Amino acid sequence: MGIAITLASFLNHNRVEYSIVKHRKTLSSLDSSASAHLPSAQVIKAVLLVNGEGDYLLAGIGSGHRLSVLKVSEVMGEVYQLADEQDLQVLFHDCAKGAIPGLAEAYGIKMMLDKRLIDEDMVYIEAGDHCHLIKINHLQYTPLLSGTLLADLIGEPIGTPKFGDYDNCYDKSYLSHF
C-alpha cells in the first residue's frame, strides 16, 4: 500500500520534504520503531479518542509509552475515551486498520501531541500501512501542527508490568499493608 493518499496529498500540498522508511510488517508503532532500528521516542503512536459529544481528538505520543487518557481528559477539561474501531475505519478510510498517521490535520481532526515530541530532531509517523513510516525533519513537522495542543500525555512505559502482572513475579506479602 505505501503512503495513504490523504496523507501524501496533505504533505505534498504543504511542500513537506519527507522520506519513506520501509520495515518488516508490524502491528504496533513500538514494533515498527524496533524493526526500523529507530528510537521509540521519535516514532509517533497516534491514538484516536472521542468525548461524550462525539468530538474526536488524535493524541500523539512516543511509541515506547502508553497514552494516559486521564491526562488528556484533565488537559481538555472533559472526559475522553478510546474511539471504536468503526470510527477509525471511517475517519482513516485510506489507512490499514491500526496504522494511523500522527498528523491529524491531514484528516481534519483536532490533535494533541506529547510535548516531548516537539524537541525531537526527526519524527516518524505511520504512513497508513504496517510496512512504512514517514520520516519528517522537526523543521518540516512543526509548521504542520497549527492548532495542535502540547501537553504531558504519556503514561507508563510499554513493558512495565501492570498491577495484575505482579502476581506472577513478586512476593505479594507487601500488599497486605494496603
Side-chain angles (χ1 to χ4, degrees), residues 49-124:
L49 304 171
V50 64
N51 66 13
E53 296 177 10
D55 298 323
Y56 295 104
L57 176 69
L58 192 68
I61 61 172
S63 65
H65 284 85
R66 292 182 175 92
L67 173 69
S68 173
V69 179
L70 178 61
K71 288 180 180 181
V72 171
S73 295
E74 287 175 356
V75 170
M76 296 301 291
E78 56 188 320
V79 177
Y80 276 86
Q81 62 186 16
L82 294 176
D84 293 334
E85 288 291 327
Q86 293 172 330
D87 296 333
L88 291 171
Q89 291 174 328
V90 170
L91 294 170
F92 299 95
H93 56 87
D94 59 348
C95 297
K97 184 178 176 180
I100 303 170
L103 197 51
E105 180 126 351
Y107 291 86
I109 301 169
K110 187 183 339 181
M111 185 164 183
M112 182 178 272
L113 191 68
D114 184 70
K115 63 184 181 181
R116 291 160 194 82
L117 289 167
I118 208 72
D119 295 329
E120 296 294 335
D121 292 337
M122 292 287 175
V123 293
Y124 299 82

Side-chain angles (χ1 to χ4, degrees), residues 151-169:
D152 175 12
L153 304 179
I154 63 170
E156 293 295 317
I158 293 177
T160 301
K162 296 178 187 168
F163 187 78
D165 293 342
Y166 289 107
D167 293 344
N168 298 325
C169 302

